[in-house]
Amino acid sequence: MVDTKRRIVQILTAAAFNSHFTGFARGTIYRGDLKAVCLPVLNCYSCPGAIGACPIGSLQAVAAGSAFQFSFYVAGFLALVGVLVGRMACGWLCPFGLIQELLHRLPSPKRLLPAWTRWVKYVVLVLLVLLLPALATDAFGLGTPYFCKWLCPAGTLEAALPLALANKDILGALGTLFQWRLTWLLLILIACVPVQRFFCQTLCPLGAIYSFFNRVSFLNLGFDRSRCCNCDRCAGSCYLKLPVTAGINHPECIRCLKCVKSCPTGAIYWGIQIPGKKEEPISA
Amino acid sequence: MRKFNVFLVLLALLALLAAGCGQAERKPLVEETKGSLETGGNFPSFSLTSLDGKTITSADLFAGNRVTLVNFWGTFCGPCLQEMPSLKELSENYAEAGLGVVGILIDPQNADKAREIVAGQGTGYPTLLDDGSLGAGISAVPTTVLVDSNGQVLTTFVGSRTLEQFGQMVEPYLK
């Protein structure tokens, strides 16, 4: 059963984060003051509709610039989101996460990924987002946003394609790099059909960042073993087939809360836990 | 048991949606002035200051060349800087044929950095500081516009090019 509330929030936030609708018709991007604000999800800055900045793109833009190597503003913002809700932004707010989930609903044999594939996104984060843009610079001190340029499928889907369709100047500038990006995007989207949130699990550097916060965030999941009847409905309902009762607040958990809804005894719940205060369960 | 207030979240999202829809974007130049960067249009008239302090007008610039290559660039743009040597060589190779090359810096607040870059590259062609009226009309940098002696736009293209590609683009208009 589709978790309706979450789907509604996903659709609304995708629309809200990309609500500069005239950009799609004109083939231009929004350049107003709101663009200085980071969105909490992977959402391309160059999407014609985007009203905020992509945090991963922003990290790379600062690292690749000649003035600074690291953006404390973006890092602080992501830490704030992580401390508040952990990886819930992935599960409830990310437009590209929504697209992957919708693709996974297409009929096909479904597959789980080997555990080691989840470590690739950390390599992507460190190498392509943080280090290479800052260190691999040209004679002018300018680097390249390697993740944005070579790997980000959201950029191709949300920015390159709509801009090229509406702006003939951009269309005329497309070359072999776009051919690679389009191929890569199609591979990712195809992989999402048998594998739930393939990109999130294996490659998303923002998911990698948020994963550090799941165990310490104010909003978290709880497990009352005394109420558990070992029915395993929680693991069965989990989008990512995580061992819910063996490791609540798993780094891969996107906090869709399906396990909470599926638990017949209320053994799994979610709540807000502020350090120093008693945990307050929101639901049981 | 407290219930998560979905209504408040939805209200916040709708507010964000409305904010995005209502945001007045910076209007492109083509809507505000009598000028266009589209092929066949008249390049917007301007009077801009160069990096070395001279004032250059569009009328004098375009009238002085058979074809003028106007290259919009920014100090933050790697591909812009990488194509500068090609533009330098292009301007030298086709100067006698009547080609003039001029750069327009779209982040004039970084003029000092631009002077360092231009000095380091030894471009040989002038760079003008945008006063905010021209940069708003382009989608991305680098954007290159070919203009005839009457100020009419011959062609516009986005993205960096090699010397060979620049040559192929300007030669038909210099015959």
Side-chain angles (χ1 to χ4, degrees), chain A residues 44-102:
Chain A
C44 189
Y45 182 98
S46 295
C47 174
I51 61 169
C54 175
I56 295 298
S58 300
L59 280 174
Q60 292 169 86
V62 171
S66 56
F68 306 104
Q69 276 69 55
F70 184 74
S71 172
F72 288 100
Y73 156 58
V74 177
F77 171 76
L78 294 178
L80 176 64
V81 174
V83 162
L84 289 176
V85 296
R87 224 173 150 176
M88 200 171 196
C90 299
W92 288 69
L93 305 180
C94 183
F96 199 65
L98 169 64
I99 290 167
Q100 293 175 79
E101 288 182 4
L102 294 175

Side-chain angles (χ1 to χ4, degrees), chain A residues 210-239:
Chain A
Y210 284 149
S211 71
F212 292 119
F213 293 95
N214 263 3
R215 296 203 194 278
V216 299
S217 61
F218 290 176
L219 187 149
N220 57 29
L221 300 178
F223 174 53
D224 185 349
R225 192 170 292 279
S226 66
R227 299 174 80 163
C228 178
C229 61
N230 297 311
C231 66
D232 262 352
R233 285 185 203 176
C234 49
S237 68
C238 177
Y239 274 116

Side-chain angles (χ1 to χ4, degrees), chain A residues 76-237:
Chain A
F77 171 76
L78 294 178
L80 176 64
V81 174
V83 162
L84 289 176
V85 296
R87 224 173 150 176
M88 200 171 196
C90 299
W92 288 69
L93 305 180
C94 183
F96 199 65
L98 169 64
I99 290 167
Q100 293 175 79
E101 288 182 4
L102 294 175
L103 285 169
H104 192 64
R105 291 172 64 82
L106 294 172
S108 83
K110 304 303 177 188
R111 296 281 181 266
L112 291 179
L113 291 173
W116 67 264
T117 57
R118 291 170 177 169
W119 292 100
V120 178
K121 59 180 174 286
Y122 297 96
V123 177
V124 169
L125 170 66
V126 171
L127 211 58
L128 300 185
V129 176
L130 298 176
L131 288 183
L132 280 180
L135 300 178
T137 56
D138 60 19
F140 305 101
L142 295 177
T144 298
Y146 285 95
F147 175 77
C148 290
K149 183 174 180 178
W150 291 105
L151 223 60
C152 184
T156 310
L157 184 65
E158 296 169 7
L161 284 171
L163 282 175
L165 287 172
N167 187 320
K168 62 175 178 57
D169 291 335
I170 300 288
L171 182 66
L174 300 181
T176 51
L177 175 60
F178 178 74
Q179 290 170 9
W180 152 250
R181 294 189 59 134
L182 189 60
T183 306
W184 180 242
L185 168 66
L186 291 172
L187 288 173
I188 295 285
L189 295 181
I190 290 169
C192 288
V193 176
V195 179
Q196 177 67 273
R197 286 191 172 235
F198 175 81
F199 176 75
C200 300
Q201 291 193 64
T202 60
L203 294 166
C204 184
L206 187 53
I209 292 173
Y210 284 149
S211 71
F212 292 119
F213 293 95
N214 263 3
R215 296 203 194 278
V216 299
S217 61
F218 290 176
L219 187 149
N220 57 29
L221 300 178
F223 174 53
D224 185 349
R225 192 170 292 279
S226 66
R227 299 174 80 163
C228 178
C229 61
N230 297 311
C231 66
D232 262 352
R233 285 185 203 176
C234 49
S237 68

Side-chain angles (χ1 to χ4, degrees), chain A residues 5 8-9 12-13 15-23 26-34 39 51 66 88 92-93 138 140 142-144 167-170 172-173 219 270 272 280-284, chain B residues 1-4 6 9-10 13-14 16-26 28 31 37-39 74-78 81-82 84 113 117 121 135-140 143 156-159 161:
Chain A
K5 278 185 195 173
I8 291 172
V9 173
L12 280 179
T13 51
F17 290 159
N18 297 285
S19 54
H20 182 245
F21 299 124
T22 55
R26 293 179 184 169
T28 57
I29 67 172
Y30 168 68
R31 300 186 191 181
D33 294 337
L34 208 54
L39 298 173
I51 61 169
S66 56
M88 200 171 196
W92 288 69
L93 305 180
D138 60 19
F140 305 101
L142 295 177
T144 298
N167 187 320
K168 62 175 178 57
D169 291 335
I170 300 288
L219 187 149
W270 67 279
I272 295 174
E280 297 181 22
I282 298 293
S283 73
Chain B
M1 183 191 306
R2 280 186 290 161
K3 273 198 164 183
F4 184 67
V6 175
V9 170
L10 291 178
L13 290 173
L14 284 170
L16 196 58
L17 187 64
C21 293
Q23 279 293 331
E25 65 175 293
R26 200 183 307 163
E31 293 181 14
L37 298 180
E38 303 269 331
T39 300
T75 59
F76 52 86
C77 168
L81 308 190
Q82 285 160 17
M84 277 184 173
K113 186 169 174 61
I117 292 169
Q121 295 275 38
I138 58 172
S139 305
T143 290
T156 301
F157 50 91
V158 173
R161 297 289 190 274

